[in-house]
Amino acid sequence: MFDLPRTGTALDIGCGFGRSVSWMADNYDKVIGTDISKHVIAAATKNCEHLDNIAFYVNGPDSLPADILPASVDVAYIFTVLQHIPREYTQNILCSVERVLKPGGRVVFNLLSNINEELNEGCLLYTSPSPRDGLL
């Protein structure tokens, strides 16, 4: 569907109980799952205990954990998450994503209409600037 990296590190923001992390673990060298709920992260850790290439962290309401290093993520996945949080938190989360993306890394997220905003439609694919773009 998108031109996404097929190896490297994937980040699932709002990973919930780990369903997406499970299929990502088959395709990426390392997968990081984050969620705002420590109880959900505990359940995800248990659900994915058979996988050896994953790590889970609790994130803040508007930031990613400091354990996720700058420029360490090849692809970030945020599915059906952003409509649940206020716009100013969304903006901060996306800035945090930009911090952890490698040059040329991608983030895929969706926005649903008529939830938490007057109009949020469609899908967006973001590519962080890379040196070859002349933007760095």
Side-chain angles (χ1 to χ4, degrees):
M1 186 164 137
F2 298 111
D3 182 23
L4 298 176
R6 299 293 180 210
T7 61
T9 299
L11 171 62
D12 185 359
I13 300 170
C15 69
F17 297 102
R19 287 185 295 265
S20 298
V21 169
S22 291
W23 61 258
M24 288 177 168
D26 290 338
N27 296 297
Y28 292 93
D29 303 318
K30 180 179 180 182
V31 179
I32 302 166
T34 70
D35 202 283
I36 195 167
S37 168
K38 66 180 179 180
H39 303 292
V40 168
I41 289 296
T45 301
K46 183 173 169 62
N47 291 340
C48 297
E49 64 189 357
H50 62 286
L51 301 170
D52 62 358
N53 61 336
I54 59 168
F56 288 105
Y57 300 102
V58 176
N59 61 268
D62 66 347
S63 64
L64 294 175
D67 292 331
I68 305 172
L69 300 176
S72 64
V73 172
D74 295 285
V75 62
Y77 177 79
I78 313 169
F79 188 73
T80 313
V81 172
L82 300 177
Q83 72 272 10
H84 295 291
I85 60 177
R87 180 180 286 277
E88 61 272 13
Y89 286 7
T90 300
Q91 187 174 3
N92 290 341
I93 287 285
L94 292 175
C95 286
S96 291
V97 170
E98 184 175 29
R99 176 186 64 82
V100 302
L101 279 180
K102 291 179 180 176
R106 305 282 177 107
V107 59
V108 177
F109 61 91
N110 67 325
L111 299 172
L112 302 179
S113 295
N114 301 318
I115 298 177
N116 224 16
E117 296 292 334
E118 288 197 15
L119 184 64
N120 283 324
E121 290 198 31
C123 292
L124 179 63
L125 175 64
Y126 171 83
T127 302
S128 66
S130 72
R132 70 176 175 263
D133 295 329
L135 300 174
L136 296 179

